[in-house]
Amino acid sequence: MPAETTDIDDIRERARRWLDDDPDPASREELRAVLDRLPASAPELADRFAGPLTFGTAGLRGPLRAGPNGMNLAVVTQAAAGLVGWLAAQGGTGPLVIGYDARHGSREFAERTAQVATGAGRPALLLPRPLPTPVLAYAVRHLGAVAGVMVTASHNPPQDNGYKVYLGAELGGTLGAGAQIVPPADAGIEAAIRSVGPLAEVPLGPAGQVLGDDLVASYVERATAVIDPAGSRDLAVAYTPLHGVGAAVLTAVFASAGFPVPGVVPEQAEPDPAFPTVAFPNPEEPGAVDRLVALAEATGADIAIANDPDADRCAVAVRDTARAASAGGGVAGPAQPDAAPPGWRMLRGDEVGVLLADHLMRRGVTGLYATTIVSSSLLRAMCAARGLPYDETLTGFKWIVRAGGGAEPLVFGYEEALGYCVAPEHVRDKDGITAALTVAELAAGLKARGRTLTDRLDELAAEFGVHHTDQLSVRVDDLRLIADAMARIRAATPTTLLGQPVTEAQDLLPEADVVILRTGTARVVIRPSGTEPKLKAYLEVVEPVADGDVAGARARATDAVAALRAEMAKTLNL
């Protein structure tokens, strides 16, 4: 018998076994339709059964479809049973708290998780409606839960969903209380998931206790407290939740803090799992915030703020005609003609990160400041100059919130991918709501003195030099291309960058799939994305400022980073 026929028969048999165990009539029908199209559907069927979604430190994330290599009710039931079994094996007591966003399947997956928990005798607490991920992270700490589950795919495309796990203080310890899981918990949960037997034998109880709005009110109260109650509140803000779940909570927090309620992009104000006005629901993607900038321009807003769909990230756009032009334009790729007028630009995540850090330092907030190996080196320089402890971690907030190992209390952490933690005792994860409020506090204080966020960035540049960052990000359909590119970098590591000798080359294997290259003024960090099929190269050039000429230094740094970007694109050959 030909090997190809044998492979099809094998996959067909695995699909039939899956059908026998799948608790969802809709996904069974979907899979039967794929089987009916054989042999033409063989590649699709093979992809669905290429292997199970792996439960890692980011939990589960994948396309909504039937089969083990997708997000569906069967996969979620198995994951929930494995998680609940692992919690019991660790001796964890207390309830499991569960949140969900507005994506397709999110509520159903959350309710099934609650049923699995209660079926195993563990109390399950369900958030009252689709809410931001930071509210779930807050709830884990606030309610003393043994763990939390958030059903979300964050800023992934609309066809995806995901499943993130947080541990409470009992199993996560002081540093990990309300934080995302890290090894070895991920491997332990993965093993428990794989040991789950037939899904028909997983006991299901009631869908748990639905929490009231007092939990959301508590989050709003604590979020409001992260800023100075005596500061200026004169600030006009334009805002978009990008069809996600952030608008109601963010506007409540701003109102509670005494700020004018931001103007919200009407076409993107309500949760919509189809994300109809954006190609990708990620404020970093070209065109995603064009409607936001158009609203800001039309209403005379001082700044524009975007959350991603689960509101754990925060993007900021500012008026800045001259520098927007010199940096290569404002917001690229308008979704409709004239939607993004000139004179605005998105601040990079590193810029927002150092602005927030500087603001907290000026408010007298002492303790540990932390970021990641792919973020700008400016925060390190600021901490050194101001005598504050600093730490640098691998990428991801699961590591940032554990920075320093507890030797110093963490007071601020950020990652360049628009994630900021301004109040670790409030939410021990990135929080786009409190970050937005703190940005507004800073911008309002500057406005009261006739200054702007970009003025403050220029002051930091004059003091510490221009730290210009950029990113080369390549999306692929075949993950083997990323593995091949990383192998090429390791086999033929560049010896120069921008014509300067590489003075340090670090390979972080096996701890992380990361290669770091440094010269006297430049740095490149190369790594695969942890959540998307992308290879990323993070670029930084540090340019000193002579005689107060910040504009000249910025122009030189911009040119150097553009040249470095082109050089790395050629090197990666993707």
Side-chain angles (χ1 to χ4, degrees):
M1 181 180 294
E4 183 177 345
T5 304
T6 303
D7 290 343
I8 291 176
D9 289 344
D10 176 64
I11 296 172
R12 181 190 282 116
E13 180 57 32
R14 282 191 282 152
R16 285 173 176 164
R17 290 198 301 270
W18 179 272
L19 284 169
D20 291 341
D21 203 33
D22 190 338
D24 185 2
S27 65
R28 291 200 302 270
E29 182 179 350
E30 175 193 328
L31 191 55
R32 286 194 187 100
V34 177
L35 286 168
D36 289 345
R37 297 199 309 272
L38 284 172
S41 63
E44 178 187 351
L45 195 63
D47 187 45
R48 289 171 182 256
F49 284 83
L53 287 182
T54 301
F55 193 97
T57 53
L60 298 171
R61 194 172 294 188
L64 288 157
R65 61 181 182 180
N69 193 21
M71 285 293 295
N72 51 66
L73 196 64
V75 165
V76 167
T77 302
Q78 185 183 39
L83 170 62
V84 169
W86 182 85
L87 292 172
Q90 302 304 306
T93 60
L96 178 68
V97 60
I98 306 155
Y100 58 99
D101 66 10
R103 284 178 177 265
H104 293 298
S106 287
R107 179 169 182 168
E108 181 184 22
F109 296 161
E111 290 176 343
R112 174 51 62 97
T113 300
Q115 289 179 304
V116 172
T118 58
R122 184 176 299 277
L125 308 175
L126 202 66
L127 296 195
R129 57 182 177 276
L131 285 164
T133 293
V135 177
L136 181 278
Y138 169 75
V140 173
R141 293 171 67 87
H142 179 66
L143 299 173
V146 67
V149 168
M150 182 68 194
V151 182
T152 180
S154 190
H155 56 278
N156 272 40
Q159 64 268 25
D160 289 357
N161 212 327
Y163 197 89
K164 295 168 66 174
V165 174
Y166 296 74
L167 289 181
E170 184 180 2
L171 298 180
T174 302
L175 293 181
Q180 296 179 53
I181 58 170
V182 294
D186 57 342
I189 295 170
E190 168 74 9
I193 291 170
R194 298 295 152 240
S195 70
V196 173
L199 299 185
E201 298 178 6
V202 174
L204 300 178
Q209 175 190 347
V210 178
L211 297 168
D213 281 340
D214 55 329
L215 172 71
V216 181
S218 174
Y219 171 87
V220 169
E221 180 182 2
R222 290 291 303 275
T224 304
V226 305
I227 65 170
D228 184 348
S232 172
R233 299 293 189 265
D234 178 17
L235 191 76
V237 177
Y239 170 72
T240 180
L242 286 181
H243 300 292
V245 296
V249 176
L250 181 137
T251 53
V253 167
F254 270 60
S256 175
F259 278 96
V261 173
V264 182
V265 176
E267 308 95 321
Q268 299 172 337
E270 296 300 320
D272 188 334
F275 304 105
T277 68
V278 291
F280 286 95
N282 180 351
E284 294 180 291
E285 294 285 344
V289 296
D290 291 344
R291 283 176 169 81
L292 170 66
V293 172
L295 175 67
E297 181 69 13
T299 59
D302 297 301
I303 61 172
I305 293 175
N307 286 139
D308 66 340
D310 69 327
D312 64 349
R313 300 179 189 228
C314 175
V316 181
V318 295
R319 296 176 181 272
D320 200 25
T321 306
R323 278 178 48 203
S326 68
V331 183
Q336 57 188 20
D338 302 319
W344 288 81
R345 75 174 182 93
M346 291 293 296
L347 295 181
R348 297 187 183 279
D350 282 315
E351 291 178 309
V352 176
V354 297
L355 281 170
L356 288 171
D358 176 68
H359 177 58
L360 294 174
M361 291 173 187
R362 288 169 177 266
R363 274 179 38 191
V365 177
T366 57
L368 179 68
Y369 287 73
T371 189
T372 73
I373 58 173
V374 303
S375 300
S376 170
S377 60
L378 178 52
L379 181 59
R380 177 193 291 271
M382 291 165 56
C383 288
R386 298 170 183 179
L388 291 167
Y390 169 84
D391 195 21
E392 206 168 272
T393 73
L394 295 175
T395 55
F397 261 84
K398 59 184 177 285
W399 300 117
I400 291 173
V401 298
R402 294 172 169 86
E408 295 279 351
L410 178 71
V411 293
F412 174 75
Y414 93 91
E415 61 181 359
E416 52 73 42
L418 308 182
Y420 317 98
C421 178
V422 299
E425 295 307 310
H426 170 67
V427 171
R428 210 156 184 86
D429 196 14
K430 54 184 176 290
D431 183 349
I433 305 293
T434 52
L437 182 65
T438 310
V439 166
E441 177 188 39
L442 169 59
L446 290 168
K447 180 183 177 182
R449 301 193 297 275
R451 297 163 63 238
T452 66
L453 295 177
T454 51
D455 291 333
R456 186 69 197 118
L457 285 171
D458 284 347
E459 291 176 2
L460 289 170
E463 184 177 359
F464 297 104
V466 172
H467 289 63
H468 190 87
T469 58
D470 200 356
Q471 185 185 125
L472 173 64
S473 180
V474 184
R475 185 181 292 270
V476 300
D477 294 323
D478 185 349
L479 291 176
R480 290 175 296 183
L481 295 175
I482 292 178
D484 291 346
M486 293 301 295
R488 285 196 303 273
I489 284 289
R490 291 186 165 100
T493 304
T495 57
T496 63
L497 295 174
L498 298 177
Q500 299 177 9
V502 171
T503 56
E504 184 179 4
Q506 289 180 276
D507 186 345
L508 301 190
L509 280 177
E511 185 179 9
D513 189 7
V514 177
V515 172
I516 304 174
L517 308 173
R518 290 187 178 89
T519 71
T521 60
R523 186 199 63 185
V524 175
V525 183
I526 307 162
R527 63 178 282 270
S529 169
T531 57
E532 298 177 273
K534 290 181 177 180
L535 180 64
K536 295 186 175 184
Y538 302 83
L539 318 173
E540 182 178 36
V541 169
V542 180
E543 182 69 31
V545 174
D547 301 322
D549 183 13
V550 172
R554 287 196 187 283
R556 293 190 299 275
T558 299
D559 290 344
V561 167
L564 185 59
R565 195 175 192 276
E567 186 176 323
M568 291 311 303
K570 184 177 180 180
T571 299
L572 295 175
N573 192 29
L574 284 178

